[in-house]
Structure formats: C-alpha cells, structure tokens
Amino acid sequence: ASFYQQTGYLLIVAFDVVLASVVVPLFGCFYTKKPSPLAAFLAILTGAIVRVTLEFALPKDGYLLAPFKGDDFLDYGSAASSLFPPFLDLPATDLWDSSTEQCEQPRVEDWTGVDSLAAPLAGLVVFVIVQFLERNGPLIKFAPDGLFA
C-alpha cells in the first residue's frame, strides 16, 4: 500500500473483498436448519479468492461502461488531427483526410462490478455443495483439543 498512489481505492477493494466473501455464509447460516461451519469457512475462502483474482484478471479501462457492441461504445479519445472534419464546407487543405491519418478507436471494455457479483455466486455454490454433503454428518472430524481426529 505504501507504493500505491490511490490508497482510497485499496480501502474500497478491501471492504468489497470482505463483503463479497462473507455475505453468503452470513445469510446461509441464518436460513439453514443446521449450519455447517466448514461450509461457511470454505464459502468465505472461495469468495475472497475469486474476488481478488478477478480484481486483477478482468479488464478495467476506467470508463465504467460494459463492453457492448455498437459504435456508441468506442473510445473516441482525442482527435487524430488538428484539421477540421470533412463534412464542413472549408478549403480541402483545411479538412482531415482519413486515408492519410487514421483514427484509432478501440472498443471500450470495462468489467468493473463483475468481480463483486461473481464472488458471492461462487461462495453460494460452495456453501450449498458443502452444506449438502454435510447433511448426514461432518466431512472432517475435529478432536476436542482443536486438532484433526
């Protein structure tokens, strides 16, 4: 964090990692008859891993626009030339010629928010599976002193 310029963003991501990974086990333990601590722990671990992984894996260009098809979602950026657009009624020497100066327009691609939604879904899948597998007894037995039996 000491090398990162936007520490406020790190605080938001830290809060989001905790919220995205803990919300499913929190509700799951209230709405099941016999909540499983192992299911809750594995759901928290899965949610945190998915959230942190997707934070760095998904493309984020900062425009906060989903990558839709269509010309409305192109990054027009700055002008390719200082000349005027060709539809203006000006001398030809003052107009921009697209054949000589290309205008790069990459498609806007920002998946911000998908990581925050995928983490609870992954945690829910893990919670339900482990909760289902432990319906007849725990998968792992622990000794009273805290070690594996």
PDB file of all heavy atoms in Angstrom, residues 24-38:
ATOM      1  N   VAL A  24     -22.712 -14.342   1.799  1.00  0.00           N
ATOM      2  CA  VAL A  24     -23.409 -15.617   1.565  1.00  0.00           C
ATOM      3  C   VAL A  24     -23.397 -16.506   2.813  1.00  0.00           C
ATOM      4  O   VAL A  24     -24.452 -16.990   3.234  1.00  0.00           O
ATOM      5  CB  VAL A  24     -22.824 -16.341   0.332  1.00  0.00           C
ATOM      6  CG1 VAL A  24     -23.329 -17.766   0.250  1.00  0.00           C
ATOM      7  CG2 VAL A  24     -23.175 -15.582  -0.918  1.00  0.00           C
ATOM      8  N   PRO A  25     -22.244 -16.734   3.455  1.00  0.00           N
ATOM      9  CA  PRO A  25     -22.284 -17.547   4.669  1.00  0.00           C
ATOM     10  C   PRO A  25     -23.095 -16.904   5.794  1.00  0.00           C
ATOM     11  O   PRO A  25     -23.727 -17.604   6.577  1.00  0.00           O
ATOM     12  CB  PRO A  25     -20.816 -17.680   5.072  1.00  0.00           C
ATOM     13  CG  PRO A  25     -20.059 -17.419   3.854  1.00  0.00           C
ATOM     14  CD  PRO A  25     -20.878 -16.478   3.037  1.00  0.00           C
ATOM     15  N   LEU A  26     -23.095 -15.582   5.855  1.00  0.00           N
ATOM     16  CA  LEU A  26     -23.864 -14.906   6.891  1.00  0.00           C
ATOM     17  C   LEU A  26     -25.354 -15.204   6.743  1.00  0.00           C
ATOM     18  O   LEU A  26     -26.026 -15.623   7.690  1.00  0.00           O
ATOM     19  CB  LEU A  26     -23.614 -13.401   6.827  1.00  0.00           C
ATOM     20  CG  LEU A  26     -24.332 -12.556   7.867  1.00  0.00           C
ATOM     21  CD1 LEU A  26     -23.790 -12.857   9.244  1.00  0.00           C
ATOM     22  CD2 LEU A  26     -24.186 -11.091   7.541  1.00  0.00           C
ATOM     23  N   PHE A  27     -25.889 -15.028   5.535  1.00  0.00           N
ATOM     24  CA  PHE A  27     -27.297 -15.334   5.303  1.00  0.00           C
ATOM     25  C   PHE A  27     -27.546 -16.834   5.319  1.00  0.00           C
ATOM     26  O   PHE A  27     -28.590 -17.292   5.792  1.00  0.00           O
ATOM     27  CB  PHE A  27     -27.769 -14.743   3.972  1.00  0.00           C
ATOM     28  CG  PHE A  27     -27.989 -13.264   4.039  1.00  0.00           C
ATOM     29  CD1 PHE A  27     -27.178 -12.408   3.321  1.00  0.00           C
ATOM     30  CD2 PHE A  27     -28.991 -12.718   4.816  1.00  0.00           C
ATOM     31  CE1 PHE A  27     -27.358 -11.042   3.367  1.00  0.00           C
ATOM     32  CE2 PHE A  27     -29.195 -11.354   4.880  1.00  0.00           C
ATOM     33  CZ  PHE A  27     -28.372 -10.513   4.155  1.00  0.00           C
ATOM     34  N   GLY A  28     -26.608 -17.601   4.785  1.00  0.00           N
ATOM     35  CA  GLY A  28     -26.771 -19.050   4.746  1.00  0.00           C
ATOM     36  C   GLY A  28     -26.868 -19.674   6.124  1.00  0.00           C
ATOM     37  O   GLY A  28     -27.628 -20.617   6.341  1.00  0.00           O
ATOM     38  N   CYS A  29     -26.106 -19.157   7.062  1.00  0.00           N
ATOM     39  CA  CYS A  29     -26.145 -19.714   8.421  1.00  0.00           C
ATOM     40  C   CYS A  29     -27.427 -19.332   9.153  1.00  0.00           C
ATOM     41  O   CYS A  29     -27.847 -20.032  10.072  1.00  0.00           O
ATOM     42  CB  CYS A  29     -24.920 -19.263   9.197  1.00  0.00           C
ATOM     43  SG  CYS A  29     -23.418 -20.070   8.622  1.00  0.00           S
ATOM     44  N   PHE A  30     -28.063 -18.243   8.762  1.00  0.00           N
ATOM     45  CA  PHE A  30     -29.333 -17.875   9.378  1.00  0.00           C
ATOM     46  C   PHE A  30     -30.506 -18.665   8.801  1.00  0.00           C
ATOM     47  O   PHE A  30     -31.480 -18.920   9.495  1.00  0.00           O
ATOM     48  CB  PHE A  30     -29.606 -16.384   9.208  1.00  0.00           C
ATOM     49  CG  PHE A  30     -28.907 -15.526  10.207  1.00  0.00           C
ATOM     50  CD1 PHE A  30     -27.977 -14.599   9.808  1.00  0.00           C
ATOM     51  CD2 PHE A  30     -29.166 -15.661  11.562  1.00  0.00           C
ATOM     52  CE1 PHE A  30     -27.329 -13.807  10.725  1.00  0.00           C
ATOM     53  CE2 PHE A  30     -28.520 -14.881  12.495  1.00  0.00           C
ATOM     54  CZ  PHE A  30     -27.593 -13.945  12.077  1.00  0.00           C
ATOM     55  N   TYR A  31     -30.420 -19.052   7.539  1.00  0.00           N
ATOM     56  CA  TYR A  31     -31.557 -19.661   6.873  1.00  0.00           C
ATOM     57  C   TYR A  31     -31.434 -21.164   6.666  1.00  0.00           C
ATOM     58  O   TYR A  31     -32.214 -21.737   5.924  1.00  0.00           O
ATOM     59  CB  TYR A  31     -31.808 -18.969   5.527  1.00  0.00           C
ATOM     60  CG  TYR A  31     -32.309 -17.556   5.709  1.00  0.00           C
ATOM     61  CD1 TYR A  31     -31.498 -16.474   5.399  1.00  0.00           C
ATOM     62  CD2 TYR A  31     -33.567 -17.302   6.218  1.00  0.00           C
ATOM     63  CE1 TYR A  31     -31.934 -15.173   5.575  1.00  0.00           C
ATOM     64  CE2 TYR A  31     -34.014 -16.004   6.407  1.00  0.00           C
ATOM     65  CZ  TYR A  31     -33.202 -14.949   6.082  1.00  0.00           C
ATOM     66  OH  TYR A  31     -33.636 -13.676   6.270  1.00  0.00           O
ATOM     67  N   THR A  32     -30.483 -21.811   7.297  1.00  0.00           N
ATOM     68  CA  THR A  32     -30.407 -23.272   7.255  1.00  0.00           C
ATOM     69  C   THR A  32     -30.688 -23.812   8.645  1.00  0.00           C
ATOM     70  O   THR A  32     -30.446 -23.147   9.657  1.00  0.00           O
ATOM     71  CB  THR A  32     -29.020 -23.757   6.786  1.00  0.00           C
ATOM     72  OG1 THR A  32     -28.025 -23.194   7.633  1.00  0.00           O
ATOM     73  CG2 THR A  32     -28.746 -23.358   5.359  1.00  0.00           C
ATOM     74  N   LYS A  33     -31.207 -25.046   8.695  1.00  0.00           N
ATOM     75  CA  LYS A  33     -31.554 -25.630   9.992  1.00  0.00           C
ATOM     76  C   LYS A  33     -30.310 -25.982  10.799  1.00  0.00           C
ATOM     77  O   LYS A  33     -30.235 -25.713  11.988  1.00  0.00           O
ATOM     78  CB  LYS A  33     -32.410 -26.876   9.791  1.00  0.00           C
ATOM     79  CG  LYS A  33     -33.783 -26.557   9.258  1.00  0.00           C
ATOM     80  CD  LYS A  33     -34.603 -27.807   9.088  1.00  0.00           C
ATOM     81  CE  LYS A  33     -35.946 -27.443   8.488  1.00  0.00           C
ATOM     82  NZ  LYS A  33     -36.756 -28.610   8.213  1.00  0.00           N
ATOM     83  N   LYS A  34     -29.353 -26.612  10.147  1.00  0.00           N
ATOM     84  CA  LYS A  34     -28.097 -26.966  10.814  1.00  0.00           C
ATOM     85  C   LYS A  34     -26.947 -26.373  10.005  1.00  0.00           C
ATOM     86  O   LYS A  34     -26.419 -27.013   9.095  1.00  0.00           O
ATOM     87  CB  LYS A  34     -27.934 -28.489  10.896  1.00  0.00           C
ATOM     88  CG  LYS A  34     -28.947 -29.154  11.795  1.00  0.00           C
ATOM     89  CD  LYS A  34     -28.683 -30.623  12.056  1.00  0.00           C
ATOM     90  CE  LYS A  34     -28.134 -31.384  10.891  1.00  0.00           C
ATOM     91  NZ  LYS A  34     -27.922 -32.798  11.157  1.00  0.00           N
ATOM     92  N   PRO A  35     -26.549 -25.146  10.309  1.00  0.00           N
ATOM     93  CA  PRO A  35     -25.474 -24.528   9.525  1.00  0.00           C
ATOM     94  C   PRO A  35     -24.135 -25.236   9.746  1.00  0.00           C
ATOM     95  O   PRO A  35     -23.823 -25.678  10.834  1.00  0.00           O
ATOM     96  CB  PRO A  35     -25.424 -23.091  10.033  1.00  0.00           C
ATOM     97  CG  PRO A  35     -26.081 -23.116  11.347  1.00  0.00           C
ATOM     98  CD  PRO A  35     -27.056 -24.251  11.339  1.00  0.00           C
ATOM     99  N   SER A  36     -23.383 -25.349   8.682  1.00  0.00           N
ATOM    100  CA  SER A  36     -22.093 -26.021   8.716  1.00  0.00           C
ATOM    101  C   SER A  36     -20.970 -24.988   8.793  1.00  0.00           C
ATOM    102  O   SER A  36     -20.833 -24.149   7.900  1.00  0.00           O
ATOM    103  CB  SER A  36     -21.924 -26.866   7.456  1.00  0.00           C
ATOM    104  OG  SER A  36     -20.588 -27.251   7.286  1.00  0.00           O
ATOM    105  N   PRO A  37     -20.147 -25.055   9.830  1.00  0.00           N
ATOM    106  CA  PRO A  37     -19.010 -24.133   9.906  1.00  0.00           C
ATOM    107  C   PRO A  37     -18.018 -24.340   8.762  1.00  0.00           C
ATOM    108  O   PRO A  37     -17.432 -23.376   8.272  1.00  0.00           O
ATOM    109  CB  PRO A  37     -18.356 -24.452  11.252  1.00  0.00           C
ATOM    110  CG  PRO A  37     -19.381 -25.173  12.036  1.00  0.00           C
ATOM    111  CD  PRO A  37     -20.273 -25.858  11.061  1.00  0.00           C
ATOM    112  N   LEU A  38     -17.846 -25.593   8.338  1.00  0.00           N
ATOM    113  CA  LEU A  38     -16.940 -25.860   7.227  1.00  0.00           C
ATOM    114  C   LEU A  38     -17.469 -25.245   5.935  1.00  0.00           C
ATOM    115  O   LEU A  38     -16.703 -24.680   5.150  1.00  0.00           O
ATOM    116  CB  LEU A  38     -16.724 -27.364   7.053  1.00  0.00           C
ATOM    117  CG  LEU A  38     -15.769 -27.772   5.953  1.00  0.00           C
ATOM    118  CD1 LEU A  38     -14.367 -27.250   6.246  1.00  0.00           C
ATOM    119  CD2 LEU A  38     -15.752 -29.280   5.782  1.00  0.00           C
TER     120      LEU A  38
END
